[in-house]
Amino acid sequence: GQQVMQIPQYQHVQEGEDFTTYCNSSTTLSNIQWYKQRPGGHPVFLIQLVKSGEVKKQKRLTFQFGEAKKNSSLHITATQTTDVGTYFCAGFSGGYNKLIFGAGTRLAVHP
Amino acid sequence: EAQVTQNPRYLITVTGKKLTVTCSQNMNHEYMSWYRQDPGLGLRQIYYSMNVEVTDKGDVPEGYKVSRKEKRNFPLILESPSPNQTSLYFCASRRRGADTQYFGPGTRLTVL
């Protein structure tokens, strides 16, 4: 079945350093979504990318969708302690009902 | 306040004792879904519903049942829970055609 792989599993950074998480799908995705889950919390929707090669920015966060619509990345510039949490990508394939999540990247930010 | 609520938030039960986890949303969303979250596996979709009386299996439906008799409610039923169903469960909803999916606070279930 379809798989969405996410790397790295963990990332520790010093506050102010940049952070990137990568997402790869075994199949072409209709679109991809990114979520953030704070420790002890629930996933919170960040953004959805639909078009091949699409790049979207939210303040210090930059999201990219690959040209082949099989990979995506989330880059955080100058991390802050408020960025701590697990970041998940999730893709729809062949429709908009079944959402396949990556295993997530847990980000720790040291002050 | 727009929200998705789940009850109970924590539950410890024993193998074979039927249980129901309730999910309710006050946003009039058509689409609702149940996920389980396990360490190292991310979130896996159990069942989803596109509208009242319309449900379908996600990736891991075995051992679970759902119903959608009203638009706001989407209960998850475990007829005969087993220890491998120990997990953190999330309900989510979104408006048809919209991107944003809203998650409930989660239900931590332990089956002994």
Side-chain angles (χ1 to χ4, degrees):
Chain A
Q2 180 193 2
Q3 288 187 326
V4 175
M5 310 299 290
Q6 199 172 346
I7 56 169
Q9 194 173 5
Y10 303 100
Q11 185 80 57
H12 298 251
V13 299
Q14 288 293 127
E15 190 172 20
E17 291 181 338
D18 292 356
F19 159 76
T20 304
T21 174
Y22 300 91
C23 188
N24 287 285
S25 170
S26 56
T27 60
T28 302
L29 299 170
S30 305
N31 55 30
I32 195 157
Q33 298 184 341
W34 285 91
Y35 293 79
K36 177 183 178 181
Q37 184 177 23
R38 287 202 161 96
H42 59 273
V44 174
F45 175 86
L46 294 175
I47 208 162
Q48 175 169 284
L49 304 172
V50 178
K51 299 176 184 174
S52 169
E54 188 169 15
V55 178
K56 287 188 176 180
K57 291 190 175 185
Q58 289 180 349
K59 297 182 180 177
R60 294 178 295 103
L61 278 61
T62 302
F63 304 85
Q64 291 188 318
F65 200 11
E67 293 291 339
K69 300 184 76 173
K70 295 180 73 173
N71 63 293
S72 182
S73 65
L74 158 59
H75 179 81
I76 302 178
T77 303
T79 55
Q80 300 174 357
T81 55
T82 53
D83 295 325
V84 165
T86 300
Y87 293 84
F88 293 97
C89 61
F92 288 102
S93 177
Y96 291 91
N97 295 318
K98 287 191 177 181
L99 192 57
I100 307 297
F101 277 79
T105 296
R106 189 191 303 176
L107 173 64
V109 180
H110 302 289
Chain B
E1 179 190 355
Q3 60 182 351
V4 179
T5 57
Q6 294 179 227
N7 283 291
R9 295 289 313 279
Y10 303 91
L11 179 60
I12 300 174
T13 189
V14 294
T15 298
K17 186 177 181 182
K18 181 179 178 179
L19 67 92
T20 299
V21 183
T22 64
C23 172
S24 184
Q25 50 92 6
N26 62 0
M27 297 169 278
N28 201 37
H29 287 171
E30 291 83 7
Y31 184 92
M32 298 185 74
S33 191
W34 275 103
Y35 298 88
R36 60 177 288 173
Q37 184 174 27
D38 302 289
L41 295 177
L43 290 98
R44 292 179 292 168
Q45 194 173 38
I46 302 171
Y47 269 95
Y48 63 91
S49 169
M50 291 173 282
N51 215 324
V52 175
E53 302 291 2
V54 182
T55 64
D56 206 350
K57 297 176 181 178
D59 279 334
V60 288
E62 293 78 21
Y64 305 94
K65 285 175 58 178
V66 293
S67 68
R68 189 90 182 273
K69 293 183 171 58
E70 304 166 284
K71 199 172 187 179
R72 64 182 294 127
N73 297 322
F74 190 43
L76 179 70
I77 303 155
L78 285 73
E79 294 269 3
S80 182
S82 62
N84 64 13
Q85 293 178 299
T86 292
S87 187
L88 178 58
Y89 291 87
F90 287 102
C91 179
S93 75
R94 67 174 166 87
R95 184 171 51 82
R96 182 167 51 215
D99 302 344
T100 306
Q101 182 165 223
Y102 297 88
F103 280 78
T107 296
R108 187 166 292 281
L109 172 65
T110 301
V111 183
L112 302 175

